[in-house]
C-alpha cells in the first residue's frame, strides 16, 4: 500500500472552527477517502493528574502515539481531542491538530463514542477515523499500516487491535448457590497444554479504525464487516488497565517507537567525555592538581558495545583540558579513538562519518550541551543525561534517568542493545501479519 507523505500547511493547526484540510498528499490511487487519526486526551484524571502528558521515558505519554501516527504517513490529518490548554500545547508541538471538545463530552460519564461523534459532526470531510488510545505507548507505525490495509484494500468497515492471551478464566458465582466459581473457557477435567491451545483474542485498546457510516448511522466503533489486527504481547501496553508507571517505562524503553530514523543496529557511538562520562565536578588535591572521576559502570557499558561490534569514539573539547587528559586514559583502556571537536561538533563529525562510509542512521550520539543539538537531531539514536540543559533535552530522542558520570552512559548503551532485540521482535510481528492476511 502506498503511503501519504505528511506536509505541513498553513491550516495545519487551526482549531475546530476550521475545516479538516488534508496535511498530506495522496499517493494511493482509487481510495480518495480522508483518513484521520484521533487521540482522545481529556484533562481530568481520577488516578494521575494530567496523565496524558506526564513524562514517560523522557517524553509526554501522548507523545509516543503521536510520533507513531505522524511518522506512519498514513493519515490526512492527525488530531488530539482535549479540553485542556497544556495538553493542547503538547499536541501542537508534536505535529498534531487540536479539536477543543465541548463540555458536554468532557464529563466523567462521557464515552469515547460521544467524543468521536462530536468530532465527525464538526469535520464532515473525514471519512475514516482511527481512534488511538493515548495510554498505549508501544504503538508503532507498522501496526497502524497493517490494520488500515484491511479497510483500504479488503473493504472492512472496522478494525481493532487485539493481543492473544493464554489465560484460563473463571466466573465468580454468588455464595448462596453453593459454589464460588465456575470455569468459563476450559474444562478442568481436560486442561489443555499451552502449546495445544490457540488462546483467546483480547482487545488491547491500542486503536480502533471505523468508517464514518458505521459511527454515525449505527452508533458503533466496531461493526459491519469487522477485522482484528493482532499485536504481540510486548507491544500491548495499556497504562490505564494493567501496568504502573515504572514498569511502563521499562516496557517503553525496550519496545517503544523512537522515530523513523531509529536504526536497527548501531555501528558507531560518539560519546562526549565531559558531562556524559564525567559528572561536571573537578576535585582538587592538596598540591592543587585537578582530578575528575569516571563511573566504572559507564566504561563497562562501552566495552559491551565494542564486543558486539559497535565502534566507540570519545569526544573532547579544547576548552576542557582536564577531560582531554582523562579521555586519553579511558581510550587506552577501551582501545578506542579520541576526537577533539570545536564549538560546532557537527562540522568535525561529518568527515568522520563519511570516512567510515556510514549514514547518520547508523550512528548513536550522546551529548549534553546546546552545541550538541544539531548532531542529536541527525543521529539515528541520540541521548542526553538527565541533568542536561533544556535545549539539549529537546533535541535528544532519549533522555536518560541517570545524570552525567552517574550511569547515564551505561543506560544509553543498554538502550542501544535493546534496539537490536526490538528489531528481531518486529520481524516476528511481521510474520504474524503475513499469517493473518
Amino acid at each position: 500500500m502506498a503511503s501519504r507523505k505528511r506536509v505541513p500547511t498553513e491550516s495545519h493547526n487551526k482549531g475546530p472552527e476550521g475545516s479538516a484540510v488534508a496535511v498530506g498528499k495522496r499517493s494511493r490511487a482509487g481510495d480518495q477517502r480522508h483518513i484521520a487519526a484521533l487521540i482522545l486526551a481529556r484533562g481530568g484524571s481520577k488516578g494521575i493528574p494530567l496523565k496524558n502528558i506526564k513524562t514517560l521515558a523522557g517524553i509526554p505519554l501522548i507523545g509516543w502515539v503521536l510520533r507513531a501516527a505522524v511518522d506512519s504517513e498514513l493519515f490526512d490529518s492527525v488530531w488530539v481531542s482535549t479540553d485542556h490548554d497544556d495538553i493542547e500545547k503538547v499536541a501542537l508541538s508534536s505535529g498534531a491538530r487540536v479539536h477543543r471538545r465541548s463540555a458536554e463530552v468532557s464529563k466523567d460519564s462521557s464515552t469515547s463514542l460521544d467524543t468521536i461523534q462530536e468530532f465527525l459532526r464538526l469535520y464532515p470531510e473525514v471519512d475514516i477515523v482511527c481512534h488511538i488510545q493515548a495510554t498505549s505507548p508501544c504503538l508503532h507505525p507498522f501496526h497502524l499500516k497493517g490494520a488500515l490495509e484491511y479497510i483500504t484494500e479488503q473493504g472492512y468497515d472496522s478494525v481493532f487491535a487485539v493481543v492473544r492471551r493464554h489465560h484460563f478464566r473463571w466466573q465468580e458465582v454468588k455464595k448462596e448457590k453453593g459454589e464460588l466459581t465456575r470455569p468459563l473457557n476450559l474444562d478442568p477435567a481436560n486442561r489443555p497444554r499451552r502449546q495445544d491451545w490457540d488462546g483467546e483474542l483480547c482487545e488491547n485498546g491500542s486503536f480502533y479504525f471505523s468508517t464514518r457510516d458505521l459511527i454515525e448511522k449505527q452508533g458503533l466503533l466496531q461493526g459491519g464487516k469487522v477485522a482484528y489486527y493482532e499485536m504481540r504481547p510486548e507491544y500491548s501496553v495499556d497504562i490505564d488497565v494493567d501496568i504502573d508507571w515504572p514498569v511502563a517505562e521499562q516496557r517503553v524503553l525496550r519496545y517503544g517507537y523512537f522515530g523513523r530514523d531509529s536504526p536497527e543496529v548501531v555501528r558507531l557511538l560518539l560519546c562526549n567525555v565531559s558531562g556524559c562520562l564525567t559528572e561536571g565536578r573537578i576535585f582538587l588535591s592538596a598540591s592543587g592538581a585537578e582530578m575528575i572521576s569516571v563511573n566504572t559502570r559507564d566504561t563497562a557499558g562501552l566495552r559491551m558495545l565494542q564486543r558486539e561490534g559497535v565502534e566507540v569514539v570519545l569526544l573532547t573539547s579544547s576548552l576542557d583540558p582536564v577531560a582531554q587528559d582523562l579521555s586519553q586514559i579511558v581510550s587506552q583502556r577501551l582501545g578506542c579513538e579520541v576526537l577533539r571537536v570545536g564549538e560546532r561538533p557537527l562540522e568535525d563529525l561529518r568527515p568522520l562519518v563519511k570516512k567510515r562510509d556510514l549514514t547518520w542512521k547508523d550512528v548513536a550520539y550522546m551529548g549534553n550541551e546546546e552545541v550538541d543539538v544539531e548532531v542529536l537531531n541527525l543521529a539515528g539514536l541520540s541521548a542526553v543525561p538527565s541533568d542536561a540543559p533544556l535545549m539539549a533535552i529537546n533535541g535528544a530522542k532519549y533522555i536518560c534517568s541517570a545524570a552525567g558520570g552517574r550511569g547515564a552512559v551505561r543506560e544509553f548503551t543498554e538502550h542501544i542493545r535493546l534496539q537490536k532485540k526490538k528489531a528481531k521482535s518486529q520481524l516476528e510481528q511481521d510474520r504474524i501479519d503475513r499469517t493473518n492476511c
Side-chain angles (χ1 to χ4, degrees):
M1 181 184 72
S3 63
R4 308 175 182 198
K5 187 174 182 180
R6 182 180 171 281
V7 181
T9 67
E10 291 182 0
S11 60
H12 173 62
N13 288 327
K14 284 186 177 178
E17 70 280 4
S19 61
V21 178
V23 297
K25 258 185 183 178
R26 293 181 182 275
S27 60
R28 181 172 57 248
D31 193 334
Q32 297 299 308
R33 290 176 291 181
H34 183 112
I35 304 173
L38 179 64
I39 297 95
L40 309 184
R42 189 169 64 93
S45 174
K46 298 299 183 184
I48 304 174
L50 289 178
K51 173 182 60 183
N52 291 315
I53 56 172
K54 178 179 168 64
T55 299
L56 178 71
I59 297 174
L61 175 59
I62 195 174
W64 290 99
V65 295
L66 281 172
R67 177 189 283 169
V70 172
D71 281 5
S72 73
E73 298 185 341
L74 297 170
F75 302 105
D76 297 293
S77 55
V78 177
W79 296 82
V80 171
S81 172
T82 188
D83 60 343
H84 199 281
D85 292 343
D86 289 342
I87 296 176
E88 176 176 355
K89 291 176 185 177
V90 172
L92 295 177
S93 68
S94 300
R97 301 172 67 180
V98 174
H99 161 55
R100 289 297 296 223
R101 63 170 71 181
S102 68
E104 286 74 17
V105 297
S106 299
K107 304 173 184 176
D108 290 341
S109 59
S110 301
T111 66
S112 298
L113 180 61
D114 294 334
T115 311
I116 295 171
Q117 287 175 328
E118 179 189 74
F119 171 79
L120 288 176
R121 286 195 298 271
L122 288 169
Y123 301 101
E125 297 89 351
V126 175
D127 301 302
I128 298 170
V129 173
C130 177
H131 165 214
I132 301 175
Q133 184 168 270
T135 55
S136 300
C138 289
L139 180 70
H140 283 243
F142 72 89
H143 296 136
L144 298 168
K145 179 179 183 295
L148 181 58
E149 288 175 349
Y150 280 104
I151 291 180
T152 58
E153 297 186 4
Q154 300 185 46
Y156 284 85
D157 301 303
S158 59
V159 186
F160 59 96
V162 302
V163 61
R164 193 174 297 272
R165 302 289 190 196
H166 291 77
H167 295 163
F168 294 132
R169 295 183 295 112
W170 293 71
Q171 181 182 21
E172 185 179 14
V173 181
K174 292 183 179 180
K175 295 181 180 179
E176 56 263 27
K177 293 187 177 180
E179 57 181 341
L180 297 180
T181 185
R182 65 167 64 103
L184 279 178
N185 66 346
L186 79 154
D187 176 2
N190 296 284
R191 291 174 64 93
R193 299 182 304 166
R194 181 185 177 91
Q195 59 266 39
D196 297 330
W197 182 40
D198 290 337
E200 296 181 323
L201 299 178
C202 305
E203 290 185 28
N204 68 8
S206 291
F207 58 80
Y208 300 82
F209 280 93
S210 312
T211 62
R212 171 183 284 272
D213 283 350
L214 182 67
I215 296 170
E216 287 190 332
K217 295 180 181 179
Q218 300 185 46
L220 298 172
L221 292 177
Q222 297 159 289
K225 186 179 179 184
V226 186
Y228 68 84
Y229 178 86
E230 183 180 348
M231 292 173 62
R232 288 181 58 82
E234 54 264 37
Y235 297 114
S236 299
V237 177
D238 185 356
I239 292 176
D240 255 351
V241 176
D242 60 359
I243 199 164
D244 62 19
W245 216 262
V247 175
E249 287 200 324
Q250 292 305 309
R251 290 283 293 277
V252 170
L253 293 177
R254 185 179 293 266
Y255 300 113
Y257 172 67
F258 285 83
R260 70 182 75 194
D261 293 326
S262 181
E264 292 183 358
V265 179
V266 167
R267 297 172 62 187
L268 171 66
L269 169 63
L270 305 172
C271 180
N272 277 278
V273 173
S274 182
C276 294
L277 271 175
T278 68
E279 60 181 348
R281 294 193 298 172
I282 296 178
F283 302 93
L284 296 176
S285 68
S287 62
E290 295 180 331
M291 298 177 291
I292 51 180
S293 63
V294 174
N295 192 312
T296 56
R297 294 180 63 250
D298 290 336
T299 54
L302 294 175
R303 287 194 185 93
M304 285 191 295
L305 283 185
Q306 289 177 313
R307 286 196 293 268
E308 295 180 8
V310 178
E311 181 185 2
V312 175
V313 175
L314 300 179
L315 307 179
T316 187
S317 168
S318 58
L319 301 177
D320 193 349
V322 179
Q324 286 186 58
D325 294 339
L326 175 68
S327 64
Q328 294 297 334
I329 297 172
V330 174
S331 69
Q332 290 173 8
R333 294 183 179 182
L334 294 177
C336 65
E337 180 181 344
V338 176
L339 178 67
R340 184 182 299 181
V341 296
E343 294 182 0
R344 287 197 65 196
L346 181 60
E347 295 178 354
D348 299 301
L349 295 176
R350 274 199 176 112
L352 181 145
V353 173
K354 184 177 181 180
K355 181 180 178 181
R356 286 160 172 75
D357 196 25
L358 301 176
T359 68
W360 283 105
K361 186 176 180 179
D362 304 314
V363 177
Y365 184 83
M366 189 164 193
N368 74 311
E369 292 294 345
E370 187 174 339
V371 296
D372 296 312
V373 169
E374 286 182 309
V375 191
L376 289 169
N377 284 325
L378 275 178
L381 287 179
S382 61
V384 293
S386 62
D387 55 347
L390 183 60
M391 284 289 292
I393 287 175
N394 289 340
K397 297 178 176 68
Y398 180 83
I399 297 90
C400 297
S401 59
R406 299 189 177 186
V409 172
R410 175 61 176 265
E411 184 179 337
F412 188 40
T413 59
E414 293 288 356
H415 175 63
I416 293 171
R417 298 174 71 206
L418 286 173
Q419 301 311 299
K420 190 173 182 179
K421 295 179 181 178
K422 187 168 68 175
K424 293 180 179 178
S425 179
Q426 180 167 337
L427 290 174
E428 179 63 18
Q429 176 73 59
D430 292 341
R431 184 193 64 77
I432 290 178
D433 295 346
R434 291 192 297 271
T435 302
N436 289 338
C437 287

